[in-house]
Amino acid sequence: AAAMMNKLLQISCGAVYTDEGGALEFDISHRYKVLREVIDESSQKVLVFVPFKHAIDVLTDKLRSDGIATEVIRGDVPVAKRTDIFKRFQTKHDPRVLIIQPQSAAHGVTLTAANTVVWWGPTPSLETYAQANARVHRSGQEHRCTVVQLQGSAVEKRIYALLDNRIDVHTKMIDLYGELSRKLDTIKNALLDYCEGHNVESVRTSEGLFFRTSKVKYWTSDWEHMHKFIMEHNVPELLDKRLNQTN
């Protein structure tokens, strides 16, 4: 459940890691537009907490291409370079935006040159969330501080609510996943009932076309293993499909 939830959060942030170690990118234009509005309206500098490395890369490239001086703090940035970035952020005009992987700078760092904290996506750790926000709420802060939570899914909204109510997200993750699974099953069953009641194989919804059945063709050059699979799983229909298909 936790792994599935993590995938959903990655997609919301704009990039999901594949099983092969790569990453698939998704449209972040709407979320990015809101972030730009926050940056433009902020009276001081801005911290942006981004939980996933590839999303950090995508967002950093977009900000820099738009002419916004941006630096990055994450796990693979050497300590000496982090120290230099923090110092410049606190004392120089640039960088204006600091993108941070939450667990990389959640403790012991003063970043009062910023008065706006933006969460590009939620972290599942209550401690990390509280400590990250505290980077601007420290001695020497002279401006009113704002925390902005960007969200585009029900999962993100629920996690932010848990964090704001100081409820440990990890303890609620299984319950949240179970709730989502039940909702999906309810929708699926309702669509199946509609198809059966109207004697149709598909129904068009606002999210696309739902098919009650799918026609799948199977092919194999290894009859021995296919026969073993058919016998073990009691699926003789696969044999029928194989016989009805030409090579």
Side-chain angles (χ1 to χ4, degrees), residues 18-103:
T18 66
D19 294 335
E20 292 74 28
L24 296 176
E25 295 183 9
F26 295 85
D27 181 26
I28 62 170
S29 57
H30 296 297
R31 188 170 299 216
Y32 181 71
K33 179 181 178 181
V34 176
L35 174 63
R36 281 300 313 271
E37 291 174 354
V38 172
I39 293 173
D40 293 343
E41 294 175 4
S42 178
S43 61
Q44 304 300 315
K45 294 186 177 185
V46 179
L47 304 182
V48 183
F49 287 101
V50 184
F52 303 109
K53 286 185 177 180
H54 196 78
I56 288 175
D57 294 337
V58 173
L59 184 55
T60 301
D61 289 343
K62 287 187 70 66
L63 287 170
R64 287 175 175 170
S65 66
D66 284 348
I68 299 176
T70 304
E71 289 289 355
V72 174
I73 299 292
R74 63 185 194 183
D76 56 359
V77 176
V79 174
K81 185 174 181 180
R82 292 191 197 192
T83 301
D84 176 67
I85 292 173
F86 288 143
K87 182 178 180 180
R88 287 190 289 110
F89 187 81
Q90 281 290 95
T91 62
K92 305 294 184 181
H93 181 268
D94 288 329
R96 173 163 174 74
V97 173
L98 192 56
I99 295 180
I100 305 174
Q101 192 174 20
Q103 60 270 33

Side-chain angles (χ1 to χ4, degrees), residues 29-243:
S29 57
H30 296 297
R31 188 170 299 216
Y32 181 71
K33 179 181 178 181
V34 176
L35 174 63
R36 281 300 313 271
E37 291 174 354
V38 172
I39 293 173
D40 293 343
E41 294 175 4
S42 178
S43 61
Q44 304 300 315
K45 294 186 177 185
V46 179
L47 304 182
V48 183
F49 287 101
V50 184
F52 303 109
K53 286 185 177 180
H54 196 78
I56 288 175
D57 294 337
V58 173
L59 184 55
T60 301
D61 289 343
K62 287 187 70 66
L63 287 170
R64 287 175 175 170
S65 66
D66 284 348
I68 299 176
T70 304
E71 289 289 355
V72 174
I73 299 292
R74 63 185 194 183
D76 56 359
V77 176
V79 174
K81 185 174 181 180
R82 292 191 197 192
T83 301
D84 176 67
I85 292 173
F86 288 143
K87 182 178 180 180
R88 287 190 289 110
F89 187 81
Q90 281 290 95
T91 62
K92 305 294 184 181
H93 181 268
D94 288 329
R96 173 163 174 74
V97 173
L98 192 56
I99 295 180
I100 305 174
Q101 192 174 20
Q103 60 270 33
S104 298
H107 293 80
V109 181
T110 297
L111 298 172
T112 50
N115 72 331
T116 301
V117 172
V118 180
W119 285 90
W120 182 257
T123 173
S125 170
L126 176 59
E127 180 185 4
T128 298
Y129 179 74
Q131 289 294 330
N133 289 334
R135 296 314 94 213
V136 298
H137 293 283
R138 296 175 69 85
S139 176
Q141 179 59 261
E142 300 176 352
H143 305 276
R144 181 178 179 180
C145 298
T146 303
V147 176
V148 179
Q149 301 166 335
L150 301 183
Q151 55 187 270
S153 67
V155 173
E156 291 177 305
K157 184 177 181 179
R158 177 66 65 85
I159 293 177
Y160 282 131
L162 293 173
L163 292 169
D164 288 338
N165 287 284
R166 303 191 65 79
I167 300 173
D168 187 9
V169 177
H170 289 294
T171 63
K172 295 293 183 179
M173 195 70 79
I174 300 298
D175 292 341
L176 180 56
Y177 179 71
E179 180 182 335
L180 291 174
S181 297
R182 288 190 294 273
K183 287 181 178 179
L184 288 174
D185 286 340
T186 299
I187 294 172
K188 182 181 70 175
N189 291 333
L191 289 170
L192 286 172
D193 289 343
Y194 178 91
C195 289
E196 292 175 359
H198 292 77
N199 195 28
V200 295
E201 292 296 314
S202 64
V203 57
R204 184 171 296 281
T205 73
S206 60
E207 301 300 325
L209 196 61
F210 173 84
F211 288 92
R212 180 171 60 168
T213 60
S214 59
K215 296 180 180 179
V216 182
K217 292 184 178 180
Y218 297 88
W219 179 87
T220 182
S221 59
D222 189 341
W223 273 102
E224 181 180 351
H225 283 89
M226 183 173 185
H227 180 267
K228 182 179 178 181
F229 179 90
I230 290 172
M231 297 302 293
E232 286 180 351
H233 295 81
N234 192 26
V235 283
E237 63 269 24
L238 297 188
L239 182 61
D240 293 337
K241 291 181 180 180
R242 177 62 182 85
L243 292 174

